[in-house]
Amino acid sequence: MKQKLTIMLFALVLSATAVAQEKMIVRLAEIEVYPEHLQEYLKYANEVDRLSVEREPGVVCLFPMQSAEDSTQIRILEIYASEEAYQSHIKTDHFQTYKQGTMHMVKSLKLPTMKPLDPETMKLIFNKQR
């Protein structure tokens, strides 16, 4: 009886994880910064990413990266638990401070939504961090 209950609970957790991952929003922000504003932009970006991950439960990942070939090329892997989490994120004070403070620093911005090719592997990635 106890073993059946454990198996049923495990199946429920797996099912909930699959549903949660179907709702996830995954983006790869593609940002080009004017060279004269690069250092200031990086300070803003690091601050908003840190605060968002620390304070917002719906922000699964904000992972900023800088191109090794062209330092003005910034990419941010963004993963939100849901569209609601993303909408909540863009309304926070720390995001608005970043957005308003860096608007003149950004030469171009693209926010393509991505679709994971293998959602099962995504589960493994997140489980490695536990």
Side-chain angles (χ1 to χ4, degrees):
M1 176 73 165
K2 189 174 184 180
Q3 187 177 20
K4 285 183 182 180
L5 182 58
T6 301
I7 291 169
M8 286 176 18
L9 285 173
F10 182 69
L12 184 62
V13 167
L14 284 178
S15 176
T17 301
V19 168
Q21 287 184 341
E22 286 178 19
K23 291 178 61 177
M24 278 185 177
I25 304 295
V26 179
R27 292 203 173 97
L28 186 59
E30 301 171 1
I31 303 163
E32 182 177 1
V33 178
Y34 290 108
E36 62 270 22
H37 296 294
L38 183 60
Q39 293 311 310
E40 187 180 7
Y41 175 84
L42 294 174
K43 289 177 188 174
Y44 271 99
N46 285 329
E47 178 77 358
V48 72
D49 292 343
R50 183 183 58 77
L51 290 174
S52 299
V53 171
E54 283 178 0
R55 296 179 180 177
E56 298 177 64
V59 175
V60 176
C61 171
L62 286 178
F63 189 75
M65 298 163 276
Q66 188 174 28
S67 170
E69 290 85 31
D70 180 353
S71 62
T72 66
Q73 297 294 321
I74 308 297
R75 300 296 180 264
I76 304 172
L77 173 60
E78 303 179 11
I79 304 176
Y80 304 94
S82 64
E83 179 64 28
E84 295 80 16
Y86 173 70
Q87 292 301 322
S88 175
H89 166 68
I90 62 175
K91 293 175 185 167
T92 62
D93 289 341
H94 50 269
F95 179 80
Q96 287 300 315
T97 297
Y98 158 79
K99 190 67 176 173
Q100 299 306 315
T102 62
M103 204 172 286
H104 69 285
M105 300 176 194
V106 174
K107 184 175 184 179
S108 69
L109 168 66
K110 295 179 187 174
L111 290 173
T113 299
M114 308 301 286
K115 180 180 175 186
L117 295 178
D118 183 3
E120 293 303 312
T121 300
M122 254 179 106
K123 292 178 198 174
L124 296 174
I125 293 168
F126 292 124
N127 285 335
K128 283 189 165 197
Q129 299 304 310
R130 291 183 185 180

mmCIF file of all heavy atoms in Angstrom, residues 71-103:
data_model
loop_
_atom_site.group_PDB
_atom_site.id
_atom_site.type_symbol
_atom_site.label_atom_id
_atom_site.label_comp_id
_atom_site.label_asym_id
_atom_site.label_seq_id
_atom_site.Cartn_x
_atom_site.Cartn_y
_atom_site.Cartn_z
ATOM 1 N N SER A 71 32.049 42.474 -27.771
ATOM 2 C CA SER A 71 31.554 42.714 -26.409
ATOM 3 C C SER A 71 30.252 43.510 -26.354
ATOM 4 O O SER A 71 29.571 43.509 -25.334
ATOM 5 C CB SER A 71 32.616 43.419 -25.570
ATOM 6 O OG SER A 71 32.917 44.688 -26.129
ATOM 7 N N THR A 72 29.879 44.153 -27.461
ATOM 8 C CA THR A 72 28.617 44.909 -27.466
ATOM 9 C C THR A 72 27.418 44.008 -27.726
ATOM 10 O O THR A 72 26.277 44.452 -27.631
ATOM 11 C CB THR A 72 28.638 46.038 -28.519
ATOM 12 O OG1 THR A 72 28.701 45.466 -29.831
ATOM 13 C CG2 THR A 72 29.799 46.988 -28.283
ATOM 14 N N GLN A 73 27.678 42.744 -28.059
ATOM 15 C CA GLN A 73 26.608 41.771 -28.306
ATOM 16 C C GLN A 73 26.310 41.020 -27.010
ATOM 17 O O GLN A 73 27.150 40.275 -26.510
ATOM 18 C CB GLN A 73 27.006 40.786 -29.406
ATOM 19 C CG GLN A 73 27.229 41.426 -30.756
ATOM 20 C CD GLN A 73 25.950 41.997 -31.332
ATOM 21 O OE1 GLN A 73 24.870 41.420 -31.221
ATOM 22 N NE2 GLN A 73 26.061 43.167 -31.948
ATOM 23 N N ILE A 74 25.112 41.233 -26.498
ATOM 24 C CA ILE A 74 24.681 40.616 -25.245
ATOM 25 C C ILE A 74 23.543 39.648 -25.552
ATOM 26 O O ILE A 74 22.654 39.958 -26.352
ATOM 27 C CB ILE A 74 24.169 41.690 -24.242
ATOM 28 C CG1 ILE A 74 25.198 42.820 -24.067
ATOM 29 C CG2 ILE A 74 23.761 41.061 -22.922
ATOM 30 C CD1 ILE A 74 26.516 42.395 -23.475
ATOM 31 N N ARG A 75 23.559 38.511 -24.914
ATOM 32 C CA ARG A 75 22.456 37.553 -25.016
ATOM 33 C C ARG A 75 22.028 37.215 -23.595
ATOM 34 O O ARG A 75 22.872 37.037 -22.707
ATOM 35 C CB ARG A 75 22.869 36.272 -25.753
ATOM 36 C CG ARG A 75 23.357 36.489 -27.177
ATOM 37 C CD ARG A 75 22.248 37.052 -28.069
ATOM 38 N NE ARG A 75 22.696 37.259 -29.427
ATOM 39 C CZ ARG A 75 23.129 38.419 -29.923
ATOM 40 N NH1 ARG A 75 23.187 39.487 -29.140
ATOM 41 N NH2 ARG A 75 23.492 38.527 -31.181
ATOM 42 N N ILE A 76 20.731 37.111 -23.405
ATOM 43 C CA ILE A 76 20.214 36.731 -22.088
ATOM 44 C C ILE A 76 19.229 35.585 -22.285
ATOM 45 O O ILE A 76 18.213 35.741 -22.962
ATOM 46 C CB ILE A 76 19.505 37.908 -21.374
ATOM 47 C CG1 ILE A 76 20.454 39.108 -21.251
ATOM 48 C CG2 ILE A 76 19.014 37.460 -19.986
ATOM 49 C CD1 ILE A 76 19.794 40.373 -20.739
ATOM 50 N N LEU A 77 19.566 34.444 -21.718
ATOM 51 C CA LEU A 77 18.632 33.325 -21.698
ATOM 52 C C LEU A 77 17.609 33.637 -20.611
ATOM 53 O O LEU A 77 17.979 33.806 -19.449
ATOM 54 C CB LEU A 77 19.354 32.009 -21.398
ATOM 55 C CG LEU A 77 18.441 30.804 -21.200
ATOM 56 C CD1 LEU A 77 17.599 30.518 -22.443
ATOM 57 C CD2 LEU A 77 19.252 29.588 -20.793
ATOM 58 N N GLU A 78 16.347 33.752 -21.010
ATOM 59 C CA GLU A 78 15.272 34.083 -20.080
ATOM 60 C C GLU A 78 14.291 32.914 -20.022
ATOM 61 O O GLU A 78 13.808 32.482 -21.060
ATOM 62 C CB GLU A 78 14.510 35.325 -20.547
ATOM 63 C CG GLU A 78 15.363 36.548 -20.726
ATOM 64 C CD GLU A 78 14.559 37.757 -21.205
ATOM 65 O OE1 GLU A 78 13.314 37.715 -21.196
ATOM 66 O OE2 GLU A 78 15.184 38.752 -21.585
ATOM 67 N N ILE A 79 14.026 32.430 -18.820
ATOM 68 C CA ILE A 79 13.026 31.374 -18.655
ATOM 69 C C ILE A 79 12.084 31.806 -17.536
ATOM 70 O O ILE A 79 12.527 32.095 -16.418
ATOM 71 C CB ILE A 79 13.661 30.011 -18.322
ATOM 72 C CG1 ILE A 79 14.697 29.611 -19.387
ATOM 73 C CG2 ILE A 79 12.569 28.936 -18.194
ATOM 74 C CD1 ILE A 79 15.447 28.330 -19.081
ATOM 75 N N TYR A 80 10.813 31.868 -17.871
ATOM 76 C CA TYR A 80 9.768 32.253 -16.914
ATOM 77 C C TYR A 80 8.828 31.072 -16.734
ATOM 78 O O TYR A 80 8.570 30.321 -17.670
ATOM 79 C CB TYR A 80 8.993 33.472 -17.425
ATOM 80 C CG TYR A 80 9.880 34.644 -17.719
ATOM 81 C CD1 TYR A 80 10.370 34.870 -19.008
ATOM 82 C CD2 TYR A 80 10.276 35.513 -16.710
ATOM 83 C CE1 TYR A 80 11.213 35.934 -19.278
ATOM 84 C CE2 TYR A 80 11.126 36.582 -16.973
ATOM 85 C CZ TYR A 80 11.588 36.788 -18.263
ATOM 86 O OH TYR A 80 12.424 37.838 -18.519
ATOM 87 N N ALA A 81 8.297 30.930 -15.539
ATOM 88 C CA ALA A 81 7.402 29.812 -15.237
ATOM 89 C C ALA A 81 6.133 29.852 -16.084
ATOM 90 O O ALA A 81 5.549 28.813 -16.376
ATOM 91 C CB ALA A 81 7.048 29.806 -13.753
ATOM 92 N N SER A 82 5.719 31.067 -16.489
ATOM 93 C CA SER A 82 4.487 31.213 -17.257
ATOM 94 C C SER A 82 4.428 32.607 -17.857
ATOM 95 O O SER A 82 5.236 33.481 -17.516
ATOM 96 C CB SER A 82 3.270 31.020 -16.337
ATOM 97 O OG SER A 82 3.246 32.054 -15.359
ATOM 98 N N GLU A 83 3.461 32.824 -18.717
ATOM 99 C CA GLU A 83 3.230 34.154 -19.274
ATOM 100 C C GLU A 83 2.895 35.143 -18.157
ATOM 101 O O GLU A 83 3.335 36.296 -18.182
ATOM 102 C CB GLU A 83 2.090 34.115 -20.306
ATOM 103 C CG GLU A 83 1.758 35.452 -20.914
ATOM 104 C CD GLU A 83 2.867 36.069 -21.751
ATOM 105 O OE1 GLU A 83 3.692 35.330 -22.324
ATOM 106 O OE2 GLU A 83 2.919 37.315 -21.836
ATOM 107 N N GLU A 84 2.153 34.685 -17.155
ATOM 108 C CA GLU A 84 1.801 35.542 -16.011
ATOM 109 C C GLU A 84 3.053 35.965 -15.251
ATOM 110 O O GLU A 84 3.166 37.124 -14.832
ATOM 111 C CB GLU A 84 0.828 34.820 -15.070
ATOM 112 C CG GLU A 84 -0.537 34.509 -15.665
ATOM 113 C CD GLU A 84 -0.555 33.275 -16.568
ATOM 114 O OE1 GLU A 84 0.389 32.459 -16.529
ATOM 115 O OE2 GLU A 84 -1.512 33.142 -17.354
ATOM 116 N N ALA A 85 3.996 35.058 -15.096
ATOM 117 C CA ALA A 85 5.255 35.385 -14.406
ATOM 118 C C ALA A 85 6.037 36.428 -15.202
ATOM 119 O O ALA A 85 6.616 37.356 -14.623
ATOM 120 C CB ALA A 85 6.096 34.130 -14.201
ATOM 121 N N TYR A 86 6.045 36.295 -16.528
ATOM 122 C CA TYR A 86 6.732 37.269 -17.370
ATOM 123 C C TYR A 86 6.071 38.646 -17.251
ATOM 124 O O TYR A 86 6.750 39.662 -17.084
ATOM 125 C CB TYR A 86 6.744 36.816 -18.830
ATOM 126 C CG TYR A 86 7.283 37.871 -19.756
ATOM 127 C CD1 TYR A 86 8.634 38.210 -19.746
ATOM 128 C CD2 TYR A 86 6.441 38.565 -20.626
ATOM 129 C CE1 TYR A 86 9.129 39.202 -20.579
ATOM 130 C CE2 TYR A 86 6.928 39.546 -21.455
ATOM 131 C CZ TYR A 86 8.270 39.864 -21.434
ATOM 132 O OH TYR A 86 8.757 40.852 -22.243
ATOM 133 N N GLN A 87 4.731 38.672 -17.329
ATOM 134 C CA GLN A 87 4.016 39.946 -17.232
ATOM 135 C C GLN A 87 4.257 40.604 -15.879
ATOM 136 O O GLN A 87 4.399 41.826 -15.793
ATOM 137 C CB GLN A 87 2.516 39.741 -17.487
ATOM 138 C CG GLN A 87 2.185 39.347 -18.915
ATOM 139 C CD GLN A 87 2.638 40.371 -19.939
ATOM 140 O OE1 GLN A 87 2.571 41.577 -19.721
ATOM 141 N NE2 GLN A 87 3.115 39.894 -21.086
ATOM 142 N N SER A 88 4.309 39.815 -14.839
ATOM 143 C CA SER A 88 4.605 40.332 -13.504
ATOM 144 C C SER A 88 6.020 40.900 -13.453
ATOM 145 O O SER A 88 6.264 41.964 -12.882
ATOM 146 C CB SER A 88 4.427 39.220 -12.468
ATOM 147 O OG SER A 88 4.801 39.655 -11.193
ATOM 148 N N HIS A 89 6.966 40.183 -14.064
ATOM 149 C CA HIS A 89 8.368 40.601 -14.085
ATOM 150 C C HIS A 89 8.539 41.983 -14.712
ATOM 151 O O HIS A 89 9.233 42.836 -14.158
ATOM 152 C CB HIS A 89 9.198 39.561 -14.841
ATOM 153 C CG HIS A 89 10.559 40.023 -15.216
ATOM 154 N ND1 HIS A 89 11.546 40.270 -14.284
ATOM 155 C CD2 HIS A 89 11.105 40.307 -16.439
ATOM 156 C CE1 HIS A 89 12.638 40.678 -14.914
ATOM 157 N NE2 HIS A 89 12.389 40.705 -16.210
ATOM 158 N N ILE A 90 7.912 42.211 -15.859
ATOM 159 C CA ILE A 90 8.141 43.474 -16.556
ATOM 160 C C ILE A 90 7.468 44.659 -15.862
ATOM 161 O O ILE A 90 7.724 45.805 -16.238
ATOM 162 C CB ILE A 90 7.744 43.400 -18.055
ATOM 163 C CG1 ILE A 90 6.264 43.100 -18.229
ATOM 164 C CG2 ILE A 90 8.632 42.393 -18.783
ATOM 165 C CD1 ILE A 90 5.803 43.132 -19.683
ATOM 166 N N LYS A 91 6.680 44.393 -14.846
ATOM 167 C CA LYS A 91 6.042 45.469 -14.073
ATOM 168 C C LYS A 91 6.799 45.804 -12.785
ATOM 169 O O LYS A 91 6.453 46.761 -12.112
ATOM 170 C CB LYS A 91 4.607 45.080 -13.730
ATOM 171 C CG LYS A 91 3.713 44.995 -14.948
ATOM 172 C CD LYS A 91 2.335 44.495 -14.593
ATOM 173 C CE LYS A 91 1.516 44.313 -15.871
ATOM 174 N NZ LYS A 91 0.295 43.551 -15.621
ATOM 175 N N THR A 92 7.825 45.017 -12.452
ATOM 176 C CA THR A 92 8.552 45.260 -11.196
ATOM 177 C C THR A 92 9.356 46.552 -11.276
ATOM 178 O O THR A 92 9.746 47.001 -12.364
ATOM 179 C CB THR A 92 9.523 44.103 -10.872
ATOM 180 O OG1 THR A 92 10.500 44.018 -11.913
ATOM 181 C CG2 THR A 92 8.787 42.777 -10.688
ATOM 182 N N ASP A 93 9.616 47.126 -10.116
ATOM 183 C CA ASP A 93 10.412 48.353 -10.060
ATOM 184 C C ASP A 93 11.813 48.130 -10.611
ATOM 185 O O ASP A 93 12.343 48.976 -11.345
ATOM 186 C CB ASP A 93 10.509 48.867 -8.612
ATOM 187 C CG ASP A 93 9.203 49.433 -8.109
ATOM 188 O OD1 ASP A 93 8.326 49.781 -8.936
ATOM 189 O OD2 ASP A 93 9.044 49.539 -6.875
ATOM 190 N N HIS A 94 12.440 46.991 -10.265
ATOM 191 C CA HIS A 94 13.810 46.770 -10.722
ATOM 192 C C HIS A 94 13.877 46.609 -12.246
ATOM 193 O O HIS A 94 14.822 47.068 -12.875
ATOM 194 C CB HIS A 94 14.508 45.617 -9.983
ATOM 195 C CG HIS A 94 13.745 44.354 -9.929
ATOM 196 N ND1 HIS A 94 12.877 44.051 -8.898
ATOM 197 C CD2 HIS A 94 13.714 43.282 -10.756
ATOM 198 C CE1 HIS A 94 12.359 42.854 -9.108
ATOM 199 N NE2 HIS A 94 12.846 42.379 -10.223
ATOM 200 N N PHE A 95 12.867 45.984 -12.848
ATOM 201 C CA PHE A 95 12.874 45.880 -14.316
ATOM 202 C C PHE A 95 12.635 47.245 -14.950
ATOM 203 O O PHE A 95 13.298 47.618 -15.925
ATOM 204 C CB PHE A 95 11.842 44.882 -14.838
ATOM 205 C CG PHE A 95 11.846 44.806 -16.337
ATOM 206 C CD1 PHE A 95 12.802 44.059 -17.002
ATOM 207 C CD2 PHE A 95 10.937 45.539 -17.094
ATOM 208 C CE1 PHE A 95 12.848 44.027 -18.399
ATOM 209 C CE2 PHE A 95 10.967 45.513 -18.478
ATOM 210 C CZ PHE A 95 11.918 44.758 -19.133
ATOM 211 N N GLN A 96 11.695 48.007 -14.407
ATOM 212 C CA GLN A 96 11.412 49.328 -14.962
ATOM 213 C C GLN A 96 12.627 50.257 -14.838
ATOM 214 O O GLN A 96 12.899 51.041 -15.739
ATOM 215 C CB GLN A 96 10.173 49.940 -14.297
ATOM 216 C CG GLN A 96 8.875 49.290 -14.741
ATOM 217 C CD GLN A 96 8.648 49.409 -16.244
ATOM 218 O OE1 GLN A 96 8.836 50.463 -16.838
ATOM 219 N NE2 GLN A 96 8.256 48.307 -16.868
ATOM 220 N N THR A 97 13.373 50.155 -13.729
ATOM 221 C CA THR A 97 14.599 50.942 -13.565
ATOM 222 C C THR A 97 15.602 50.577 -14.659
ATOM 223 O O THR A 97 16.208 51.451 -15.289
ATOM 224 C CB THR A 97 15.222 50.701 -12.173
ATOM 225 O OG1 THR A 97 14.302 51.149 -11.177
ATOM 226 C CG2 THR A 97 16.550 51.416 -12.009
ATOM 227 N N TYR A 98 15.763 49.276 -14.905
ATOM 228 C CA TYR A 98 16.649 48.802 -15.967
ATOM 229 C C TYR A 98 16.181 49.303 -17.330
ATOM 230 O O TYR A 98 16.958 49.875 -18.100
ATOM 231 C CB TYR A 98 16.701 47.265 -15.941
ATOM 232 C CG TYR A 98 17.135 46.639 -17.232
ATOM 233 C CD1 TYR A 98 18.477 46.593 -17.597
ATOM 234 C CD2 TYR A 98 16.198 46.095 -18.113
ATOM 235 C CE1 TYR A 98 18.875 46.016 -18.793
ATOM 236 C CE2 TYR A 98 16.590 45.515 -19.314
ATOM 237 C CZ TYR A 98 17.919 45.482 -19.649
ATOM 238 O OH TYR A 98 18.316 44.921 -20.838
ATOM 239 N N LYS A 99 14.912 49.098 -17.634
ATOM 240 C CA LYS A 99 14.378 49.439 -18.955
ATOM 241 C C LYS A 99 14.525 50.935 -19.239
ATOM 242 O O LYS A 99 15.010 51.327 -20.303
ATOM 243 C CB LYS A 99 12.910 49.009 -19.046
ATOM 244 C CG LYS A 99 12.331 49.102 -20.428
ATOM 245 C CD LYS A 99 12.984 48.088 -21.331
ATOM 246 C CE LYS A 99 12.337 48.094 -22.703
ATOM 247 N NZ LYS A 99 13.046 47.249 -23.636
ATOM 248 N N GLN A 100 14.091 51.756 -18.291
ATOM 249 C CA GLN A 100 14.160 53.204 -18.489
ATOM 250 C C GLN A 100 15.605 53.710 -18.478
ATOM 251 O O GLN A 100 15.945 54.628 -19.223
ATOM 252 C CB GLN A 100 13.338 53.932 -17.419
ATOM 253 C CG GLN A 100 11.855 53.577 -17.433
ATOM 254 C CD GLN A 100 11.198 53.762 -18.791
ATOM 255 O OE1 GLN A 100 11.401 54.762 -19.455
ATOM 256 N NE2 GLN A 100 10.422 52.780 -19.216
ATOM 257 N N GLY A 101 16.444 53.101 -17.654
ATOM 258 C CA GLY A 101 17.832 53.539 -17.541
ATOM 259 C C GLY A 101 18.708 53.160 -18.711
ATOM 260 O O GLY A 101 19.734 53.800 -18.962
ATOM 261 N N THR A 102 18.333 52.106 -19.442
ATOM 262 C CA THR A 102 19.193 51.613 -20.525
ATOM 263 C C THR A 102 18.637 51.869 -21.924
ATOM 264 O O THR A 102 19.314 51.563 -22.903
ATOM 265 C CB THR A 102 19.436 50.101 -20.379
ATOM 266 O OG1 THR A 102 18.190 49.405 -20.477
ATOM 267 C CG2 THR A 102 20.134 49.778 -19.073
ATOM 268 N N MET A 103 17.456 52.423 -22.015
ATOM 269 C CA MET A 103 16.815 52.593 -23.320
ATOM 270 C C MET A 103 17.737 53.290 -24.338
ATOM 271 O O MET A 103 17.840 52.865 -25.490
ATOM 272 C CB MET A 103 15.519 53.373 -23.154
ATOM 273 C CG MET A 103 14.524 53.120 -24.247
ATOM 274 S SD MET A 103 12.932 53.870 -23.889
ATOM 275 C CE MET A 103 12.319 52.762 -22.626
#
